[in-house]
Amino acid sequence: MAGITLQEVSRRAGVSTATVSRVLNNSPLVHPDTRRRVLRLIKQLNYHPSPTARALARARTQTLAVLFPGIASGFYSEVLCGMDDVASERGYHLMIAFSHGPQDQEELFIRCLRERRADALVVLNLNPPDALVRAATAHETPVVFIDRPARGRRISCVQIDNETGSVEAVRHLAAHGYRRIAVLSGPTDSFDAQQRLAAYRQAMREHGLPVTSELVWQGAFTEESGYAAVQRWLKRNRSLPDALFACNDAMAFGARQALQERGLNLPMVGFDDCETARHLGLTTVHVPMRQMGRWAVELALAWIEGAPNEGVPDRVVPTRLVVRESCGCARKGVKV
Amino acid sequence: MAGITLQEVSRRAGVSTATVSRVLNNSPLVHPDTRRRVLRLIKQLNYHPSPTARALARARTQTLAVLFPGIASGFYSEVLCGMDDVASERGYHLMIAFSHGPQDQEELFIRCLRERRADALVVLNLNPPDALVRAATAHETPVVFIDRPARGRRISCVQIDNETGSVEAVRHLAAHGYRRIAVLSGPTDSFDAQQRLAAYRQAMREHGLPVTSELVWQGAFTEESGYAAVQRWLKRNRSLPDALFACNDAMAFGARQALQERGLNLPMVGFDDCETARHLGLTTVHVPMRQMGRWAVELALAWIEGAPNEGVPDRVVPTRLVVRESCGCARKGVKV
DNA sequence: CTGAAAGCGCTAACAC
DNA sequence: GTGTTAGCGCTTTCAG
């Protein structure tokens, strides 16, 4: 079972290695009879070309590298599944790497580009400084960013339609008659967080609702930060706002927990629609994560296989509100 | 920035490629002065060896392949993180593949073994027929199974201590005074499911509690199956059992949902301790998933780098009960 | 300690 | 259509 090679096949078939290679690569420059003969032998010997040798000879690994922030989350596994959907279908393999801390992230990024172990790089939710993004342009390897705008030679991105989702969320709460709608925002260096906050502001304005600074709670996309934000508020104010728009589900869970511990309740809507959201009945903005993964890989492949100078357009995945109980609706599925 | 090679370095350094290679590989057979000179040049030229070329020459890819069932789940991302912990530390890369359907799984498995794209294979939660496992032995590539017993030449596994966790779960419920404790079992072809069920039976016996056949509900480790099991029961019986041991969290969620929809409630404990369990306050058996990932990779590396004929012992990750509200305890954290 | 040379297994000009 | 011949970039005997 150990290592039958192309050369071996060619010898036994009485043809040159070039011919076998041609057969392998479906070159039209092979006589049907020859092809048949070679193919038979290949099957008979159970020969399979060595990916490693191919990679060296073709300077193509048929591999995509995916960079993750170092945290486990169901979110990422969804995205990953989406990536695999199209990668496997197109004959590509997925290599993954987690960044261990923010400085490691930079090194990892550079290393992936230089090693050429992968034909393209998909960067998820990391936020490399702009300088780094520019540095990428110097390399051959195309890069696709998820959750971060970026554009350039061999660079594109897939982003979330943060605006539509946020606007829908606020509209929904407003339709309930809530007027003092607080927002639990994300870290200021996150593009998603920025966009969601901006959309919240605009939506509030459009509904003629006031946005005082005390209604804007700073969070960090973590459960703890949501918990802490509510605690801070409760320490300073007696009355809760009418409702809460949490810029992601994790923070909504934290906020919910903090409220619950004091027997309080607050209509709220989240963002992401992670698995737990469904279980907890959290009304939230659905983000099609699988789709993000799929598109990211499609963009990457477009760069790899596309005509050298053809640009690859960015993509924006749609969002939509999923109404559950947490927003003050009486029952699951009630649409306002 | 494009492609400076070892040869280039050797030319500029005025030494042979062999010497540069020796320096790269920390061979002691290099004169300190030579080494210094070469190293300086390497740094200066920003040279980095090509992993692809190395792989071909050394017949080692420094890559581990991980096979997943085709479903996204927070569970897997935890395991993956654990794998990455040790893989990255030891200079290995992770390549992942999802099986799309059970037949694809077999093909994928074989392909991974034959392609030698990875130095070892970690198989998670798939259940390849025994014949396939034996087939693996024919290949050079070591295989580590997670959640499935297996042993042989270049084969080992990491499993869950299903017994301890299950016994603790039942004991806990029994300590509450519950006597009719039902079990929501997993699919019969799952080793974990078998062991958890067996442990339940034994624990019940030891507590002098009856296990009538009606107390054993068949499930499939899915939320839906948990939901369905409760529905079946409610259709046939008027009174609920005293408590429920669900052989995994997902089924517990399904069961909970079905009960909740009729305004019912049932003390229950699950198994896995997934993220949602914490949010829902589900008492459950904790499985250290990250640890499983770490150990799996350690075993794989042991096979790869270990002495050729040294066996690699299997591993069993410990489990422990995490008490939350769902088991009828008054408050979070109350230990019985 | 160092170098020459033969691969690793496949691809791709280039000639016939 | 097919074979010849260089590589791809690195490792590794084998001499010296």
Side-chain angles (χ1 to χ4, degrees):
Chain A
M1 192 110 274
I4 151 122
T5 70
L6 179 149
Q7 198 178 148
E8 179 97 8
V9 176
S10 78
R11 256 213 338 268
R12 300 230 204 175
V15 298
S16 73
T17 61
T19 298
V20 178
S21 177
R22 287 193 190 100
V23 171
L24 249 32
N25 296 288
N26 291 314
S27 157
L29 307 174
V30 185
H31 189 94
D33 290 347
T34 319
R35 178 187 304 282
R36 239 191 309 281
R37 194 151 42 87
V38 172
L39 281 176
R40 189 150 35 78
L41 210 50
I42 283 177
K43 182 154 289 171
Q44 181 182 317
L45 296 176
N46 191 28
Y47 163 76
H48 293 271
S50 147
T52 320
R54 275 195 152 157
L56 184 57
R58 305 211 268 225
R60 283 286 217 79
T61 59
Q62 296 293 108
T63 294
L64 268 25
V66 186
L67 257 58
F68 285 94
I71 51 167
S73 135
F75 183 95
Y76 298 126
S77 62
E78 268 292 334
V79 178
L80 206 53
C81 271
M83 293 185 174
D84 176 76
D85 282 349
V86 2
S88 69
E89 184 193 319
R90 306 266 302 260
Y92 278 78
H93 296 253
L94 253 33
M95 169 150 279
I96 64 166
F98 294 83
S99 110
H100 308 279
Q103 52 174 6
D104 174 64
Q105 148 182 338
E106 196 158 324
E107 190 202 316
L108 193 61
F109 181 73
I110 292 291
R111 187 150 44 87
C112 285
L113 289 178
R114 118 159 68 74
E115 285 198 341
R116 299 175 138 300
R117 203 185 273 277
D119 299 335
L121 191 50
V122 177
V123 180
L124 209 139
N125 229 320
L126 299 184
N127 214 326
D130 281 338
L132 213 61
V133 176
R134 277 194 302 279
T137 322
H139 292 259
E140 285 295 305
T141 314
V143 182
V144 175
F145 290 94
I146 292 188
D147 275 5
R148 178 200 199 296
R151 180 167 309 185
R153 184 162 169 59
R154 298 196 204 85
I155 295 192
S156 33
C157 64
V158 4
Q159 291 180 267
I160 296 173
D161 179 359
N162 290 301
E163 188 175 338
T164 302
S166 305
V167 166
E168 261 190 66
V170 173
R171 177 193 307 142
H172 184 77
L173 290 171
H176 276 273
Y178 307 133
R179 292 186 55 79
R180 291 177 66 233
I181 303 173
V183 65
L184 186 40
S185 67
T188 48
D189 64 342
S190 153
F191 289 87
D192 288 329
Q194 290 166 17
Q195 293 182 351
R196 290 170 199 177
L197 181 57
Y200 154 86
R201 288 204 141 98
Q202 191 189 329
M204 289 292 278
R205 204 175 310 123
E206 284 173 6
H207 287 283
L209 302 177
V211 180
T212 62
S213 72
E214 69 163 19
L215 283 181
V216 179
W217 306 350
Q218 183 63 50
F221 274 175
T222 63
E223 200 172 324
E224 295 72 39
S225 73
Y227 186 93
V230 167
Q231 285 207 310
R232 277 198 307 274
W233 172 276
L234 290 177
K235 215 166 271 171
R236 279 203 310 263
N237 304 269
R238 24 229 113 125
S239 69
L240 288 170
D242 297 337
L244 174 65
F245 170 43
C247 286
N248 79 355
D249 288 350
M251 294 193 299
F253 301 148
R256 176 178 174 279
Q257 174 73 22
L259 291 163
Q260 208 168 264
E261 284 177 9
R262 321 202 172 204
L264 298 172
N265 185 34
L266 185 59
M268 64 174 77
V269 4
F271 208 113
D272 277 353
D273 195 19
C274 66
E275 210 196 326
T276 305
R278 183 169 52 82
H279 286 115
L280 289 183
L282 179 69
T283 291
T284 187
V285 176
H286 178 77
V287 177
M289 328 210 208
R290 206 149 172 148
Q291 181 68 276
M292 292 181 75
R294 271 196 282 261
W295 279 354
V297 169
E298 278 172 11
L299 294 191
L301 295 183
W303 277 121
I304 295 174
E305 302 181 338
N309 278 319
E310 227 169 87
V312 170
D314 298 344
R315 295 286 227 151
V316 177
V317 296
T319 54
R320 64 163 211 284
L321 190 69
V322 177
V323 178
R324 297 200 181 94
E325 298 95 86
S326 73
C327 54
C329 291
R331 289 201 335 276
K332 192 171 176 174
V334 172
K335 194 71 175 154
V336 175
Chain B
M1 192 108 276
I4 150 124
T5 69
L6 179 149
Q7 198 177 150
E8 179 97 8
V9 175
S10 78
R11 254 212 339 267
R12 301 227 204 177
V15 297
S16 72
T17 61
T19 298
V20 178
S21 178
R22 287 193 190 99
V23 171
L24 249 31
N25 295 288
N26 291 312
S27 157
L29 307 174
V30 184
H31 189 94
D33 290 347
T34 320
R35 177 187 305 282
R36 239 191 308 283
R37 195 150 42 87
V38 172
L39 281 176
R40 189 150 35 77
L41 210 50
I42 283 178
K43 182 154 289 171
Q44 181 183 318
L45 296 177
N46 192 28
Y47 164 75
H48 293 272
S50 149
T52 318
R54 275 195 152 158
L56 184 56
R58 304 212 270 226
R60 283 289 215 76
T61 59
Q62 297 291 109
T63 294
L64 268 24
V66 186
L67 256 58
F68 285 94
I71 52 166
S73 134
F75 183 96
Y76 298 126
S77 61
E78 269 293 333
V79 178
L80 205 54
C81 271
M83 294 185 175
D84 177 77
D85 281 349
V86 2
S88 69
E89 184 192 317
R90 306 266 301 260
Y92 278 78
H93 297 254
L94 252 32
M95 169 149 280
I96 63 166
F98 294 82
S99 110
H100 308 280
Q103 53 174 5
D104 175 64
Q105 149 182 339
E106 196 159 325
E107 190 202 315
L108 193 61
F109 181 74
I110 290 291
R111 186 150 47 87
C112 284
L113 290 178
R114 114 158 70 75
E115 286 197 341
R116 299 177 137 297
R117 202 186 274 279
D119 299 335
L121 191 50
V122 177
V123 180
L124 209 138
N125 228 321
L126 299 184
N127 215 325
D130 282 338
L132 214 60
V133 176
R134 277 195 303 280
T137 322
H139 292 260
E140 284 295 305
T141 314
V143 182
V144 175
F145 289 94
I146 292 188
D147 274 5
R148 176 199 200 296
R151 180 166 310 186
R153 184 161 168 60
R154 297 197 205 87
I155 295 193
S156 34
C157 64
V158 4
Q159 291 180 268
I160 296 173
D161 180 359
N162 290 299
E163 187 175 339
T164 301
S166 304
V167 167
E168 261 190 65
V170 173
R171 177 191 309 143
H172 185 77
L173 290 172
H176 275 274
Y178 306 134
R179 292 189 54 80
R180 290 177 66 233
I181 302 174
V183 65
L184 187 39
S185 67
T188 49
D189 65 342
S190 153
F191 289 87
D192 288 328
Q194 289 166 18
Q195 294 181 349
R196 289 169 198 178
L197 180 57
Y200 154 84
R201 287 205 142 97
Q202 190 189 329
M204 289 292 278
R205 204 175 310 125
E206 284 174 5
H207 286 284
L209 303 176
V211 181
T212 62
S213 73
E214 69 164 20
L215 283 182
V216 179
W217 305 349
Q218 183 64 50
F221 274 175
T222 64
E223 201 172 323
E224 295 73 39
S225 73
Y227 186 93
V230 167
Q231 284 206 311
R232 277 199 307 274
W233 172 276
L234 291 176
K235 216 166 273 172
R236 278 204 309 263
N237 304 269
R238 26 227 112 131
S239 67
L240 288 170
D242 298 338
L244 175 66
F245 170 43
C247 286
N248 81 352
D249 288 351
M251 294 194 298
F253 301 148
R256 177 178 174 279
Q257 175 72 22
L259 291 163
Q260 208 168 263
E261 284 176 8
R262 321 201 170 203
L264 299 172
N265 185 34
L266 185 59
M268 63 173 77
V269 4
F271 207 114
D272 277 352
D273 195 19
C274 66
E275 209 194 325
T276 305
R278 184 169 52 81
H279 285 115
L280 289 183
L282 179 69
T283 291
T284 187
V285 177
H286 178 77
V287 178
M289 330 211 208
R290 206 149 172 147
Q291 181 69 276
M292 293 182 75
R294 271 197 282 261
W295 279 355
V297 169
E298 278 171 11
L299 294 190
L301 295 183
W303 278 122
I304 295 174
E305 301 180 340
N309 278 320
E310 228 170 87
V312 169
D314 298 344
R315 294 287 226 150
V316 178
V317 296
T319 54
R320 64 165 211 283
L321 190 69
V322 177
V323 178
R324 299 202 180 92
E325 298 95 86
S326 74
C327 51
C329 291
R331 289 198 337 275
K332 192 172 175 174
V334 171
K335 195 70 174 151
V336 175

